[in-house]
Amino acid sequence: MAGYLLARAGVPVAVLEKHSDFNRDFRGDTIHPSTLELMHELGLLDEFLKQPHQELRELRAIVNGQAVPAADFTKLPTRCKFIAFMPQWDFLNFLASHAKRFPTFQLHMETEVVDLLMDDSSVVGARAKTRSGEMEFRADLVIGADGRHSTVHTRAGLKQREFGVPIDVLWMRISKKQGDPKQTFGFFQHGKLLVLLDRDDYWQAGFVIPKGQFEEIKDRGLTQFQNEIVSFAGFLRDRVAELDHWSKIKLLTVQVNRLHDWCCAGLLCIGDSAHAMSPAGGVGINLAIQDAVATANLLAEKLQQGPVHVDDLRRVQARREWPTRLIQGMQIFIHHRIVTGRASGEERTSIPFVLRLLKWFPILRQIPARFIGMGPRPEHFHSPTAV
Ligand SMILES: Cc1cc2nc3c(=O)[nH]c(=O)nc-3n(C[C@H](O)[C@H](O)[C@H](O)COP(=O)(O)OP(=O)(O)OC[C@H]3O[C@@H](n4cnc5c(N)ncnc54)[C@H](O)[C@@H]3O)c2cc1C
């Protein structure tokens, strides 16, 4: 998104992606109302909504067998009053295909950043591994948008604060059948959680487990694991046997962290590279996109002229840091209070108090809807346009 917006402003951009395609499974599929609003501001919304997707207007959680409406998006002050579920590779392919129409945009696939180019203490580019050997890319600014295992922030030596996360996620595919229930927020039970993402012809399942317990689960055997999945979502009983080997079940370690400084001379980190997000609440993608928009809004005009000063980069951090802190705080709250299995005796069998409030008072469902659907401080596109 940052590459798209900067190229749109006429800034020469090279996006380096280490994989040969965007077909990664280990990210979410949520396109939030605020992102859809941006697509509208960019004139891309109608075409975007022609891509296969599902629209979710209300989030429901199944808590200890009871349906709890958790968020109502229909009252949001946005054009699209829903979350669109679309595989992230379709979203990224869509953005890349539009970005390629700008003469100053280049996308280099299979180009893995392995180091930064330095001049004294300033970053002046990146060194990347490609199929035809190593290449150097010199740049007025390097934007580290390389996710939670960021090479860029590591090579720059930027210090980060880790927030302990008590969960990991097991990630697997289960086939979908006619008559299956619609997309929900997740199935909560006794402090555990199964999330099912509707990928049209299959369910992408995420099963939240206490951190470090995968080996123990494996020791108990596949049959017990399959039974546990069925105890959350009974309709999967006739196909859970598809999970017939542990190689079909991938362990994703969840992290929440934040860089102390998101930038140094010649370098700015955004998205998970600056602040790794957990899947809790399904908000990390939106936050990463909002960072990209703020980056283009604050820097595009200056980058049209040449290098930017580190104080300009700090303005991006200053704008985006408090929404990030707020959302990470919410994620940590969810980890500890709702999905870790550390709930009190009463909460193990009933609905947690916060969710009960949402059930009793429909108006309150607009609060999580705003938080998830738009996020604090939603950004609007106002960087210059060259074409
Ligand atoms: C299991 C799981 C489920 C999640 N579900 C959701 C959800 O439903 N909704 C939601 O909003 N958030 C979700 N999140 C959080 C979300 O995935 C992240 O917050 C979001 O993807 C961050 O976007 P990003 O662009 O900063 O990083 P990423 O999406 O991680 O993208 C980084 C990109 O950089 C590339 N890259 C990495 N290193 C290099 C390198 N050295 N050189 C070149 N390219 C490189 C990667 O291949 C990748 O394409 C989930 C996270 C996890 C772990």
Side-chain angles (χ1 to χ4, degrees):
M1 180 61 94
Y4 174 94
L5 293 174
L6 291 172
R8 186 186 161 104
V11 177
V13 177
V15 173
L16 314 183
E17 166 57 52
K18 70 175 171 182
H19 292 292
S20 57
D21 56 36
F22 291 122
N23 209 343
R24 306 272 81 69
D25 234 350
F26 306 145
R27 303 186 279 218
D29 287 355
T30 46
I31 312 293
H32 299 246
S34 54
T35 304
L36 294 167
E37 195 72 8
L38 285 166
M39 299 305 267
H40 167 67
E41 288 169 15
L42 294 168
L44 299 175
L45 183 64
D46 291 345
E47 198 183 331
F48 182 69
L49 290 178
K50 287 188 188 132
Q51 313 286 310
H53 68 279
Q54 288 88 38
E55 297 178 3
L56 194 76
R57 288 177 163 71
E58 186 194 52
L59 274 186
R60 281 178 173 271
I62 311 294
V63 183
N64 297 328
Q66 299 182 55
V68 184
D72 174 5
F73 299 109
T74 59
K75 310 278 187 311
L76 286 182
T78 47
R79 189 158 301 257
C80 297
K81 296 175 192 310
F82 54 82
I83 288 187
F85 276 83
M86 181 185 289
Q88 204 182 115
W89 50 87
D90 286 345
F91 175 58
L92 292 174
N93 283 329
F94 178 86
L95 264 188
S97 68
H98 280 272
K100 282 178 192 161
R101 297 177 189 176
F102 302 129
T104 58
F105 181 86
Q106 291 175 7
L107 174 59
H108 300 261
M109 302 304 285
E110 284 184 275
T111 305
E112 178 177 1
V113 171
V114 288
D115 208 351
L116 296 171
L117 303 176
M118 305 295 296
D119 184 1
D120 290 332
S121 55
S122 293
V123 176
V124 292
R127 177 171 297 116
K129 207 168 65 187
T130 73
R131 286 181 77 164
S132 46
E134 286 211 346
M135 273 178 78
E136 288 191 351
F137 292 83
R138 298 215 157 240
D140 288 338
L141 176 66
V142 172
I143 299 180
D146 52 342
R148 61 208 177 106
H149 304 296
S150 171
T151 304
V152 169
H153 79 217
T154 308
R155 301 305 300 171
L158 297 175
K159 299 264 174 300
Q160 72 184 11
R161 177 172 173 201
E162 277 294 340
F163 302 93
V165 175
I167 58 164
D168 283 328
V169 178
L170 300 182
W171 200 244
M172 62 220 131
R173 283 180 182 208
I174 304 176
S175 60
K176 218 182 119 200
K177 290 195 177 163
Q178 262 196 340
D180 280 357
K182 289 201 176 128
Q183 175 88 57
T184 68
F185 194 35
F187 297 79
F188 295 81
Q189 223 175 79
H190 318 308
K192 292 188 184 165
L193 168 63
L194 174 73
V195 175
L196 293 176
L197 297 176
D198 185 344
R199 292 253 176 95
D200 214 22
D201 53 345
Y202 67 93
W203 292 106
Q204 177 63 58
F207 188 52
V208 177
I209 59 167
K211 201 171 241 342
Q213 278 199 5
F214 190 35
E215 287 308 315
E216 228 173 90
I217 290 172
K218 276 185 176 168
D219 288 345
R220 290 203 290 270
L222 261 176
T223 311
Q224 176 140 355
F225 180 68
Q226 291 167 354
N227 289 342
E228 191 154 18
I229 298 290
V230 171
S231 74
F232 279 78
F235 67 95
L236 297 176
R237 184 181 305 280
D238 59 351
R239 59 206 106 140
V240 78
E242 291 167 8
L243 301 171
D244 55 3
H245 195 272
W246 289 111
S247 61
K248 294 187 178 170
I249 300 155
K250 299 202 175 69
L251 172 70
L252 302 183
T253 51
V254 177
Q255 289 171 297
V256 175
N257 58 43
R258 194 166 61 237
L259 293 180
H260 180 67
D261 290 313
W262 298 15
C263 57
C264 59
L267 172 72
L268 171 68
C269 292
I270 58 173
D272 270 23
S273 171
H275 45 74
M277 307 300 290
S278 120
V283 288
I285 297 168
N286 190 40
L287 199 64
I289 288 177
Q290 302 288 313
D291 285 0
V293 177
T295 300
N297 284 346
L298 290 166
L299 301 181
E301 216 168 309
K302 294 194 165 147
L303 282 166
Q304 285 170 339
Q305 318 301 322
V308 284
H309 193 270
V310 70
D311 286 343
D312 295 315
L313 305 178
R314 286 198 190 105
R315 287 174 60 212
V316 177
Q317 175 173 356
R319 179 149 186 99
R320 297 304 311 157
E321 189 163 8
W322 77 254
T324 306
R325 281 172 180 258
L326 208 61
I327 292 180
Q328 288 186 323
M330 176 209 62
Q331 293 197 319
I332 291 162
F333 173 83
I334 291 177
H335 294 154
H336 289 280
R337 290 295 303 152
I338 303 182
V339 291
T340 54
R342 290 187 195 163
S344 68
E346 191 216 345
E347 284 166 341
R348 279 169 178 274
T349 50
S350 67
I351 302 174
F353 182 66
V354 183
L355 294 178
R356 257 185 277 169
L357 282 177
L358 295 175
K359 197 169 174 165
W360 294 331
F361 303 106
I363 196 164
L364 294 182
R365 293 173 211 158
Q366 290 174 37
I367 300 170
R370 224 180 153 104
F371 210 75
I372 296 168
M374 299 172 66
R377 187 176 260 178
E379 301 288 348
H380 294 277
F381 162 72
H382 57 74
S383 44
T385 302
V387 284

